[in-house]
Amino acid sequence: MGKHPHIIRLDRASGHREIVANHWIRVAEAGDDAVPGHTLLPLKQWLERRDELLERDDVGIWFAPDDEPEALGADAVRLAIIAVDFPAFTDGRGFSIGRLLRERYGFTGELRAVGDVFKDTLNYLRRCGFDAFEIRADKDVEEAAKGLDDFDDAYQNSVDQPAPLFRRR
Amino acid sequence: MYQYDDYDQKIVDQRVAQFRDQTRRFLAGELTGEEFRPLRLQNGLYIQRHAPMLRVAIPYGHLRSDQVRKLAEIARKYDRGYGHFTTRQNIQYNWPKLEDVPEILAELATVQMHAIQTSGNCVRNTTTDQFAGVAHDELIDPRPWCELIRQWSTFHPEFAHLPRKFKIAVSGSVEDRAASWVHDIGLHMVTDAQGEIGFKVIVGGGLGRTPMVGSVIREYLPRWHLLSYLDAILRVYNRYGRRDNKYKARIKILVKAMTPEAFAAKVEAEWQHLQDGPMTLTQTEIDRVSAFFTAPAYERLAGDDAGFLQLKAENKAFARWVQRNVFAHKQPGYAAVTLSLKSTGIAPGDATADQLDGVADLADRYAFGEVRVSHEQNLILADVRQSDLAAVWDAAKKLGFATPNIGLITDIVCCPGGDFCDLANAKSIPIAEGVQRIFDEEDYLFDLGEIDLNISGCMNSCGHHHVGHIGILGVDKSGSEWYQISLGGRQGHAASLGKVIGPSFAQDDVPAVIKQIIDVYVEQRLADERFIDVFDRLGIEPFKARVYQKERAHG
């Protein structure tokens, strides 16, 4: 929670990546007042204030593993940024959330993985549509970025490669 | 057999490099033990009682002779000269060094092998009938579909960290030899009224702590949709399977909690979005993969070989071996041979490096260079000319793999148990040996007929004790090892789970208890009635009465 220094940003079209400063603050709970700029709100709270927040491109959402992309639905296309929390990297629900947001609900903004994120899951995350990675503070972010290059190809279709290998080989 | 192209090879090679890096970072302290654990498990590496254990994948149990030789070489070079074949048709090494594992994987990659997803909470090795492609009762060859599933499941981006492990089995014959009713997903190859190939889809079977027979969620799935439908099932499981309690995390618990009907409806709803999408299989791909599983260059033989029939008539020992270890083949003049890895006194499923080399030689000489592993932990030469059976028998005897006991009570399915495995509550290998010694006399053994005896050293049920006609489960009672016995389980289309007979027994008592159970069977059977049929006719009571007549059991 809070502001985190290390973000790897991936340009999905070119594959170019860079390490950038983070401008977003993820909060567990919003107060009753106006939401400050560059805030990531829990899905539930954003939904409660949807009408007020839908036009604001400086407010984003974060998903917990048991949050449902269906609850956001078509509003996903209006958002600039969505974060998905991986409280433990072994909880794979966020992979499904990422794919659903991208493939079913047409989300094109920044999809950020937060929480227990380090080198060894970046390849899967990228394939599920993530293009920003908040690397755990105790990990070397430069080293972690190399995880994006662990594999050049894969068998299945995915967000970054809509055609499965059997349609290309 | 399937042959890698450059794509397959590169994926495996890059996995070797990735794991080498993960191992290096772990040894350098950059990855904690807790972080490394799921990563190494996804590559089949356990830290065990005495040493690490490495489980190498044998996709649907198929091996080429060069791969068998490589397994032997690895056993010699990095282990103590042997390996253990598992009930998932894989092989395990019990004594590798952690720091050697990247090198072992690199060696495996040179023969198109790997350890990908042989453990961990991901989709595991897909299994099938050990007689796939040659069985006399086969409807459709399941192997191309197993390979398609292997590729679909390998590094699936969405399903790398499921609530729990996930196992798929495919069966394409009349008799189900793939235990498909007790898998997370069981697929039966079927045809519709027009003769079009498809799948019956069974979900939510499994053994372990809460054994269950699966439920059919779709009677017929057209073959084009296999992979997108699997995506739909796995997505529902990944999102909704329990993650709060590892003992309730398998898909069977979700299916039961939702009811099979509601689960099926959820899958269908998800599939509506995926149906006809990019994962819809193409005829080109089905043809490409099927081309690897065509029949070998069989000689055209008129029928049964005269010399073989003559020897069978004259030589009782040979006839017995044929009766138990030779399986009818769909090609005239050919047979499938099971090499028994269940000789008394040897841990069931174990093979030494020299034995593996011997098997590879036999495969090259008599069986088109191919070997298979069964989920009953034996090895199979699938395509042997009947005229070569005598020579194969002689050679198998020299290797110690000709015990004529396939399907008999000494063909015990057995996990490594407490001698090796960290999870085990109790030893299982000495129990297997104790039982084998009781039934060592061949006339007696043959007279008893077909009896499946399965032993698991703990609730994880790697020895599939729930589906043994006689099941033995190791349990821990305040620090000492006890054994619970169940009767009446079975695999196949009539799959059902055994019933626990009563309080458990001490290790030393187990062989005598099994003997008592068999005595009841022998006394009660009518003509050549099988053990399981006697059990079905009489129920558990007469067995229970005999076993507990004296005060032996505790707790």
Side-chain angles (χ1 to χ4, degrees):
Chain A
M1 221 53 69
K3 191 164 165 180
H4 198 283
H6 305 307
I7 302 289
I8 302 168
R9 281 294 313 272
L10 169 74
D11 183 89
R12 292 200 291 146
S14 67
H16 177 74
R17 75 285 314 254
E18 55 186 344
I19 292 155
V20 297
N22 177 24
H23 299 298
W24 293 85
I25 296 174
R26 185 160 69 101
V27 299
E29 219 170 322
D32 293 335
D33 306 333
V35 179
H38 290 105
T39 300
L40 295 169
L41 282 182
L43 173 67
K44 186 161 169 281
Q45 299 205 347
W46 188 93
L47 289 172
E48 283 164 7
R49 298 168 70 168
R50 171 185 181 272
D51 297 342
E52 167 200 343
L53 297 172
L54 190 59
E55 299 303 323
R56 283 188 59 181
D57 61 6
D58 64 341
V59 175
I61 295 177
W62 68 271
F63 275 69
D66 57 354
D67 283 335
E68 306 230 318
E70 289 83 349
L72 180 63
D75 285 349
V77 297
R78 312 273 291 269
L79 288 157
I81 178 170
I82 298 176
V84 178
D85 185 25
F86 290 80
F89 79 94
T90 49
D91 186 337
R93 285 176 288 183
F95 295 131
S96 292
I97 293 171
R99 285 192 81 171
L100 287 166
L101 287 172
R102 290 282 197 222
E103 293 176 337
R104 191 160 302 165
Y105 297 109
F107 174 62
T108 55
E110 177 182 312
L111 185 59
R112 180 181 290 196
V114 302
D116 194 11
V117 178
F118 55 101
K119 183 177 187 181
D120 302 279
T121 54
L122 296 199
N123 184 64
Y124 289 131
L125 287 167
R126 171 191 193 161
R127 294 174 60 204
C128 289
F130 289 84
D131 56 1
F133 312 92
E134 190 182 283
I135 301 301
R136 244 173 53 194
D138 60 327
K139 297 286 184 187
D140 179 340
V141 67
E142 304 269 355
E143 166 75 9
K146 294 180 193 158
L148 290 166
D149 302 318
D150 279 349
F151 292 93
D152 292 333
D153 214 330
Y155 291 111
Q156 310 79 3
N157 73 320
S158 57
V159 177
D160 68 336
Q161 174 47 275
L165 182 58
F166 67 76
R167 291 179 183 274
R168 296 181 282 117
R169 76 199 299 175
Chain B
M1 247 186 80
Y2 188 75
Q3 302 279 341
Y4 284 8
D5 65 7
D6 291 345
Y7 288 107
D8 302 301
Q9 189 66 50
K10 190 163 190 192
I11 287 169
V12 168
D13 289 344
Q14 291 193 317
R15 175 53 170 153
V16 174
Q18 184 190 41
F19 193 74
R20 199 185 287 281
D21 175 62
Q22 288 171 342
T23 306
R24 179 193 63 74
R25 281 184 288 140
F26 169 66
L27 293 172
E30 295 168 34
L31 277 173
T32 65
E34 200 187 338
E35 288 161 358
F36 186 50
R37 186 175 178 276
L39 301 174
R40 63 173 163 75
L41 285 177
Q42 302 242 335
N43 216 30
L45 184 63
Y46 289 71
I47 304 294
Q48 289 282 37
R49 200 153 287 209
H50 307 291
M53 181 274 276
L54 178 67
R55 184 182 294 149
V56 174
I58 302 177
Y60 36 94
H62 272 50
L63 287 165
R64 294 191 310 261
S65 55
D66 63 313
Q67 295 174 322
V68 177
R69 289 194 183 91
K70 179 58 80 176
L71 294 175
E73 188 190 331
I74 288 170
R76 276 194 198 97
K77 204 159 149 187
Y78 300 100
D79 205 279
R80 296 190 181 172
Y82 71 99
H84 170 76
F85 290 99
T86 75
T87 52
R88 198 114 215 102
Q89 299 178 307
N90 290 320
I91 187 168
Q92 297 178 174
Y93 293 106
N94 282 314
W95 308 94
K97 288 196 188 70
L98 175 70
E99 51 274 28
D100 284 342
V101 171
E103 213 40 49
I104 296 173
L105 297 175
E107 294 222 21
L108 288 169
T110 64
V111 293
Q112 308 189 342
M113 292 187 78
H114 59 74
I116 295 166
Q117 291 169 212
T118 52
S119 182
N121 296 332
C122 51
V123 183
R124 305 285 190 87
N125 188 26
T126 297
T127 50
T128 191
D129 182 357
Q130 68 269 28
F131 298 118
V134 305
H136 61 91
D137 67 339
E138 185 164 274
L139 308 168
I140 298 149
D141 188 346
R143 294 173 299 168
W145 304 95
C146 291
E147 176 58 27
L148 286 164
I149 295 169
R150 183 190 76 81
Q151 297 191 15
W152 162 83
S153 64
T154 298
F155 302 130
H156 195 295
E158 193 177 339
F159 308 133
H161 296 290
L162 295 167
R164 198 76 179 82
K165 59 187 168 184
F166 203 92
K167 301 178 178 179
I168 301 176
V170 189
S171 169
S173 52
V174 174
E175 205 182 309
D176 172 26
R177 284 178 291 268
S180 59
W181 288 93
V182 288
H183 274 75
D184 296 288
I185 294 179
L187 296 168
H188 290 176
M189 306 215 55
V190 292
T191 49
D192 68 2
Q194 285 71 49
E196 289 288 328
I197 294 171
F199 299 89
K200 180 194 269 194
V201 183
I202 299 158
V203 172
L207 300 174
R209 190 169 295 256
T210 318
M212 284 185 210
V213 173
S215 305
V216 176
I217 61 161
R218 204 172 219 276
E219 286 292 341
Y220 182 79
L221 177 74
R223 61 191 178 283
W224 320 106
H225 299 307
L226 175 65
L227 303 182
S228 64
Y229 202 81
L230 291 176
D231 271 334
I233 296 172
L234 268 291
R235 181 172 282 173
V236 170
Y237 173 55
N238 188 42
R239 295 183 66 190
Y240 302 109
R242 285 182 63 172
R243 290 173 186 267
D244 59 324
N245 179 343
K246 71 180 263 196
Y247 299 120
K248 297 188 187 301
R250 295 289 288 269
I251 195 173
K252 61 194 170 189
I253 305 290
L254 178 66
V255 172
K256 188 166 184 228
M258 290 178 75
T259 75
E261 295 72 26
F263 180 83
K266 190 94 180 157
V267 169
E268 291 288 325
E270 178 60 40
W271 188 54
Q272 292 311 309
H273 296 283
L274 305 176
Q275 184 179 2
D276 300 322
M279 287 307 279
T280 309
L281 280 163
T282 60
Q283 190 61 50
T284 313
E285 175 66 355
I286 294 171
D287 290 345
R288 182 186 79 85
V289 175
S290 298
F292 292 105
F293 299 97
T294 51
Y298 292 124
E299 258 177 63
R300 291 177 70 85
L301 301 168
D304 288 342
D305 179 72
F308 157 67
L309 293 176
Q310 194 186 342
L311 185 62
K312 198 168 75 161
E314 288 168 358
N315 184 326
K316 187 177 166 194
F318 180 67
R320 280 193 162 164
W321 178 75
V322 170
Q323 188 194 336
R324 294 319 321 173
N325 297 33
V326 174
F327 184 79
H329 202 287
K330 65 184 178 189
Q331 182 70 18
Y334 280 80
V337 170
T338 300
L339 300 170
S340 171
L341 273 58
K342 310 295 178 66
S343 141
T344 299
I346 307 288
D350 274 13
T352 67
D354 290 347
Q355 286 174 318
L356 289 171
D357 280 339
V359 170
D361 291 346
L362 278 179
D364 281 339
R365 187 147 176 213
Y366 300 112
F368 300 96
E370 289 191 17
V371 178
R372 300 171 182 201
V373 186
S374 70
H375 80 270
E376 288 97 352
Q377 305 173 284
N378 293 307
L379 296 177
I380 284 95
L381 302 172
D383 300 284
V384 179
R385 281 185 311 205
Q386 287 179 355
S387 55
D388 289 332
L389 285 171
V392 170
W393 180 53
D394 280 335
K397 278 192 286 190
K398 291 191 184 88
L399 287 174
F401 283 168
T403 313
N405 65 348
I406 302 306
L408 302 180
I409 195 168
T410 56
D411 181 14
I412 295 171
V413 174
C414 182
C415 71
D419 291 303
F420 296 101
C421 179
D422 247 3
L423 304 171
N425 289 322
K427 293 186 180 68
S428 47
I429 294 168
I431 300 294
E433 182 175 346
V435 172
Q436 284 174 328
R437 296 220 176 272
I438 296 247
F439 300 102
D440 217 19
E441 205 279 304
E442 211 172 276
D443 286 331
Y444 178 46
L445 175 68
F446 267 69
D447 177 61
L448 298 177
E450 292 180 3
I451 302 172
D452 292 345
L453 192 146
N454 296 49
I455 307 174
S456 302
C458 75
M459 272 299 194
N460 287 302
S461 314
C462 296
H464 301 173
H465 65 278
H466 298 293
V467 290
H469 299 158
I470 300 172
I472 302 177
L473 167 67
V475 290
D476 174 61
K477 282 182 195 291
S478 47
S480 61
E481 299 182 3
W482 292 81
Y483 296 86
Q484 189 180 71
I485 292 173
S486 56
L487 297 178
R490 72 208 70 183
Q491 45 182 344
H493 285 305
S496 66
L497 308 167
K499 294 183 184 64
V500 175
I501 190 167
S504 50
F505 303 96
Q507 176 177 335
D508 290 346
D509 289 337
V510 173
V513 170
I514 301 300
K515 177 73 166 70
Q516 288 182 313
I517 289 167
I518 295 303
D519 287 346
V520 173
Y521 157 61
V522 170
E523 290 158 23
Q524 298 289 337
R525 68 178 162 184
L526 305 171
D528 53 359
E529 204 178 13
R530 293 180 313 157
F531 174 83
I532 193 71
D533 297 325
V534 170
F535 176 85
D536 286 348
R537 182 164 57 79
L538 297 177
I540 204 165
E541 286 309 323
F543 297 97
K544 215 168 168 166
R546 178 73 54 89
V547 166
Y548 295 106
Q549 63 187 344
K550 276 194 307 195
E551 197 47 47
R552 171 194 283 130
H554 303 266

